[in-house]
Amino acid sequence: MHLVAAAAATAAVLSAAPAVARAADADDAAGAPSLGGVGAVRICDEPIVVREVRIAGNTRVEDAAIRAVLETGPGKVLSCRVVREDLRRVWRLGFFKDVSIEYEGEPANGIVVLTVAEKPLIRNVEIAGNEEIDDDKLMEVVDVKRGEILDIPKLKRNAEKIKDKYVEDGYFLAEVTFDYKDAGGGQSDVVFTVVESAKVTVRKITFVGNKALTDKELKERMGTKEGDTLSWLSGSGKFNAEDFERDLIIVTAAYYDVGYINVKVDRPIVTLSRDKKDIHITIHIDEGARYRVGKVGVKGKLLDVTAEELAKALHLKEGDWFSRTNLGLDVQELTRRYRDKGYAYCNVVPDSSIDVTDNTVGIVYEIDPGDPVRIWKIEVSGNTRTRDKVIRDRLLIAEGDLFSETGVELSKREVTRLGFFESVNISTTSGPTPDLILVNVEVKEKATGTFQVGAGFSSVENFIATAQVSQDNLFGRGQTLRLSLAISGRRQQFSLSFIEPRFLDTKLTFSFDAFITERMLPDFATNTKGGALSWGYELTPDVHVFLRYSLFDVKLKACGYRTCEVAADSVRPLFRDGITSSITIGGSFDTVDNRLFPTDGWQNTLSVEVADSYIGSEVVFSKLRGAVRFHYPIIKSLVPGGGVGLHLYGKFAFVWANGTGDVPLSERFYEGGIGSVRGFGPRTLGPLARVGGADPGDPLRLVNIGGTFSVVLNAEVEFPIIESVGIRGVVFFDAGNA
């Protein structure tokens, strides 16, 4: 900083005008003061006592805030060093664009005047020149707000943020500048101006020096993809600097996993095409030597197995090519084994020794299990509607048990599978003593009740009106209650169902259903009234068995919306109706991650239903049903139901009449339509019989009489279209028949 004094006239002491020091000039390149002028010399060379300190020029900043940082004060001797430091401290408050100090009066009785020029307030913030990215998205990254004090470094940072946003969207050459204009009244308007330039596409990625891994293998691992004619749909060709940094780490890790532990991936060379629309990226790789795994050992406190037995369970074996991923998996496996037996603070450290003569990496896993830990307390939080008991019933860990990492993970899966929560997180903290641990179960609830009313037209059912009320977490008890009504030109349906997943606080489940259905089918009509009671038992979290009793009355009418009064000896016996009383026994194996939005796991069911005169049934038959569902996340997502998923589904069913004649139409299988084989009309797949009307002169017609055996196979790839609102697309392949 410089201290400057100018000549003018004051009393006999100073033949110069007031001595002035300015904060804007307070520091030079070396950070030392520079003195000049007669007044400045008098200030520094002669003792001057301050009588008063005055503050001038401030309108928004209080005097007290400025005086609080001043060392200069009444009764003190004025000093060049003190003046310089006062200027710095006031300047660093950040409220002023100019600060100066003047001295007026005689040496023993003078006045120090500190004059400030306040920075303006921001009246408005605008973005100009942007067409490809709208204001709302850009303002999300801008933290300059109205009413703030104008801060030039902050404006520079925000201009960089806006540019980074453009780079994320592929506008690699975008430039962003800022300006501020005086708006009067101590205010300024801030404008960020964008020059977007053309969107840059990654046209070519070239690797140099790679032999062990091909270009294709490396590119498949990278998030940055080369652009092509379908880039507008797939999003390929987009360049993001941060993503590309991760890609370089991924390339390095790919070599680590095939034994090249000394690989070097150089900084990429990025070149811009002449038209400034494409970039070409060249990555040089020095692979180095390839290493195998040498001796593998385990040391430390062992549990109930020997070091040799533990080594056999590891992924890395002596003589294999070294893989850092397998090394990490081995550490996880050893850690899990100990944590599942109560050693919650177990630490496994791999100690590697590299032999450059025979290119091997010896590995010794050092295990420090610590002391066994028990679960002191389990605390549940975040549930405002769901009762603690509903969540605790799904936990596979209990207070007083030895800690188990697998038990914690399975507990999280079970609570998530309830379908009541947006997120489930289970964490641990230390208990009151080193041998105790606190388990925290944090959930975030979501809406579980729905009320739906709809109306429309269908090519199959003509006019449709529907209404449904459902609650999947009734009174926060985990119970399910559903009431639905549907009316159309060919169907009238009412149903009521209730499910109690923990009957009498046991692992028993209980449910009941009541329904009335009138359905007009192509060649006949049905009227069904009845209900069912079901009991189930949870053998394990994944395996359930169940028993169901159903009682309903079926009425058949040989008149559908296509044909009426079907008359044929071969078909007439199928129109048997009456009371059906049946017992169904079955089981299920279910490992899906989320029952509402399954993305991973299996769902398998098998059941046998018997309707017999011994239990009061007028319609006699037996049914065998089986179904297999498989869900696999091709691309995972943090959002329930998000990402890209593979879904495979297969079902079969077989029915026979227990030697009493043909199976009636009401119990046969009719495939086709949504939920079966898409691309065919509803219930159009099945055996056809030639029948005539009541009049012998009527022409013969083909009637679908249903099958006694049914198989359906579905394969789907499900992908997001607008994931934020749950709109998804499906590519499917269906096959089946009855």
Side-chain angles (χ1 to χ4, degrees), residues 344-635:
Y345 304 116
C346 175
N347 188 30
V348 178
V349 178
D351 183 15
S352 59
S353 56
I354 300 175
D355 190 334
V356 296
T357 58
D358 57 1
N359 291 343
T360 59
V361 181
I363 302 171
V364 176
Y365 298 94
E366 298 183 4
I367 303 176
D368 179 14
D371 296 322
V373 175
R374 292 191 176 274
I375 298 174
W376 169 55
K377 186 184 294 185
I378 299 176
E379 293 187 349
V380 179
S381 61
N383 52 318
T384 57
R385 295 186 303 272
T386 307
R387 303 191 180 192
D388 281 13
K389 180 178 177 298
V390 174
I391 299 173
R392 292 180 183 273
D393 281 344
R394 295 293 173 178
L395 300 179
L396 303 182
I397 54 177
E399 296 173 354
D401 290 350
L402 284 172
F403 177 82
S404 170
E405 184 172 295
T406 299
V408 169
E409 292 178 355
L410 292 178
S411 295
K412 178 180 179 180
R413 188 195 70 173
E414 288 301 303
V415 175
T416 302
R417 287 169 66 180
L418 286 171
F420 304 156
F421 311 109
E422 289 185 11
S423 62
V424 178
N425 181 51
I426 300 182
S427 59
T428 59
T429 55
S430 301
T433 58
D435 62 335
L436 295 176
I437 197 169
L438 172 65
V439 177
N440 300 291
V441 182
E442 299 174 82
V443 299
K444 183 179 180 181
E445 291 185 317
K446 64 182 179 182
T448 55
T450 61
F451 173 70
Q452 300 175 352
V453 176
F457 290 90
S458 165
S459 60
V460 177
E461 299 188 76
N462 300 324
F463 176 78
I464 303 174
T466 62
Q468 176 176 296
V469 178
S470 68
Q471 175 56 259
D472 292 328
N473 188 13
L474 188 64
F475 305 125
R477 298 175 179 269
Q479 301 164 334
T480 299
L481 179 65
R482 292 192 180 98
L483 176 65
S484 64
L485 175 67
I487 300 174
S488 73
R490 296 173 182 173
R491 174 169 55 104
Q492 296 183 28
Q493 182 175 323
F494 167 82
S495 66
L496 173 67
S497 63
F498 173 79
I499 302 173
E500 170 56 82
R502 285 289 188 264
F503 185 64
L504 300 178
D505 293 333
T506 67
K507 291 187 177 182
L508 284 170
T509 61
F510 168 75
S511 68
F512 75 80
D513 299 272
F515 53 86
I516 301 174
T517 304
E518 295 183 13
R519 186 185 295 271
M520 182 71 72
L521 301 172
D523 304 303
F524 62 93
T526 65
N527 187 321
T528 307
K529 302 176 182 179
L533 298 175
S534 300
W535 293 267
Y537 187 76
E538 181 182 289
L539 297 177
T540 72
D542 300 331
V543 180
H544 294 71
V545 293
F546 63 89
L547 176 69
R548 179 186 302 115
Y549 174 71
S550 303
L551 179 65
F552 51 91
D553 183 18
V554 181
K555 300 297 182 184
L556 290 174
K557 183 180 180 181
C559 191
Y561 62 80
R562 189 177 61 182
T563 61
C564 198
E565 297 183 1
V566 175
D569 292 340
S570 60
V571 177
R572 193 175 296 109
L574 303 182
F575 282 87
R576 296 201 314 275
D577 54 19
I579 299 296
T580 299
S581 175
S582 69
I583 294 177
T584 304
I585 186 170
S588 66
F589 175 72
D590 188 347
T591 63
V592 297
D593 54 349
N594 190 305
R595 289 189 174 94
L596 292 181
F597 303 102
T599 60
D600 194 5
W602 290 86
Q603 291 172 298
N604 305 328
T605 59
L606 183 65
S607 66
V608 177
E609 180 182 6
V610 177
D612 199 277
S613 58
Y614 290 109
I615 52 176
S617 182
E618 298 175 355
V619 181
V620 178
F621 63 87
S622 297
K623 280 185 182 179
L624 175 66
R625 289 190 179 96
V628 177
R629 287 183 173 88
F630 173 67
H631 309 277
Y632 180 77
I634 300 175
I635 300 177

Side-chain angles (χ1 to χ4, degrees), residues 674-721:
I674 295 177
S676 176
V677 184
R678 288 161 287 192
F680 292 86
R683 301 168 67 92
T684 58
L685 296 179
L688 303 176
R690 291 186 178 274
V691 299
D695 188 341
D698 291 343
L700 295 178
R701 300 182 180 90
L702 288 175
V703 175
N704 187 347
I705 61 173
T708 57
F709 180 68
S710 168
V711 174
V712 173
L713 302 173
N714 306 124
E716 297 180 350
V717 174
E718 186 179 357
F719 55 90
I721 296 178

Side-chain angles (χ1 to χ4, degrees), residues 1-5 20-22 25 33-36 40 44 80-81 83-84 87:
M1 286 189 177
H2 302 279
L3 287 179
V4 183
V20 181
R22 293 189 179 276
D25 301 318
S34 175
L35 305 179
C44 294
C80 286
R81 179 190 62 80
V83 167
R84 184 176 66 248
L87 286 170

Side-chain angles (χ1 to χ4, degrees), residues 195-216:
V195 179
E196 292 178 331
S197 299
K199 191 171 186 177
V200 175
T201 300
V202 178
R203 189 59 59 192
K204 183 68 175 177
I205 300 175
T206 304
F207 294 94
V208 178
N210 57 311
K211 298 177 181 178
L213 296 176
T214 65
D215 287 12
K216 181 180 179 181

Side-chain angles (χ1 to χ4, degrees), residues 109-293:
N109 189 23
I111 300 172
V112 172
V113 180
L114 175 68
T115 304
V116 298
E118 292 179 324
K119 291 181 179 179
L121 295 178
I122 297 175
R123 187 184 71 169
N124 193 28
V125 180
E126 296 180 358
I127 300 177
N130 56 309
E131 295 182 0
E132 300 299 333
I133 304 179
D134 59 39
D135 287 1
D136 291 340
K137 289 186 178 180
L138 293 178
M139 290 303 292
E140 289 178 359
V141 302
V142 174
D143 58 4
V144 176
K145 306 299 180 184
R146 295 177 181 177
E148 289 184 351
I149 294 175
L150 186 69
D151 185 347
I152 302 301
K154 189 173 183 179
L155 296 183
K156 292 180 180 178
R157 292 194 299 270
N158 278 267
E160 288 299 320
K161 288 181 180 181
I162 295 174
K163 181 177 179 179
D164 291 343
K165 181 65 176 177
Y166 269 91
V167 171
E168 286 180 10
D169 280 25
Y171 296 90
F172 192 66
L173 301 177
E175 294 294 334
V176 182
T177 59
F178 68 89
D179 192 13
Y180 53 93
K181 300 177 181 178
D182 185 14
Q187 294 181 314
S188 292
D189 293 333
V190 175
V191 179
F192 294 96
T193 303
V194 181
V195 179
E196 292 178 331
S197 299
K199 191 171 186 177
V200 175
T201 300
V202 178
R203 189 59 59 192
K204 183 68 175 177
I205 300 175
T206 304
F207 294 94
V208 178
N210 57 311
K211 298 177 181 178
L213 296 176
T214 65
D215 287 12
K216 181 180 179 181
E217 290 174 323
L218 293 174
K219 290 177 183 178
E220 286 177 347
R221 290 171 166 84
M222 296 174 62
T224 303
K225 303 295 183 183
E226 295 172 337
D228 52 32
T229 56
L230 296 178
S231 295
W232 62 274
L233 181 63
S234 65
S236 60
K238 182 178 177 181
F239 182 84
N240 180 288
E242 291 184 4
D243 291 345
F244 194 74
E245 288 292 332
R246 287 193 292 269
D247 286 337
L248 297 179
I249 297 174
I250 290 171
V251 169
T252 304
Y255 273 95
Y256 286 164
D257 281 345
V258 291
Y260 293 89
I261 63 174
N262 294 323
V263 64
K264 295 180 180 178
V265 179
D266 294 340
R267 301 299 304 172
I269 300 173
V270 181
T271 57
L272 188 65
S273 63
R274 289 186 177 181
D275 59 6
K276 297 184 178 181
K277 292 183 178 180
D278 301 328
I279 58 173
H280 299 260
I281 302 173
T282 303
I283 303 174
H284 290 266
I285 298 175
D286 180 6
E287 295 180 337
R290 195 178 188 187
Y291 283 74
R292 291 186 180 273
V293 178

Side-chain angles (χ1 to χ4, degrees), residues 5-34:
T10 304
V13 181
L14 293 177
S15 60
V20 181
R22 293 189 179 276
D25 301 318
D27 278 326
D28 64 9
S34 175

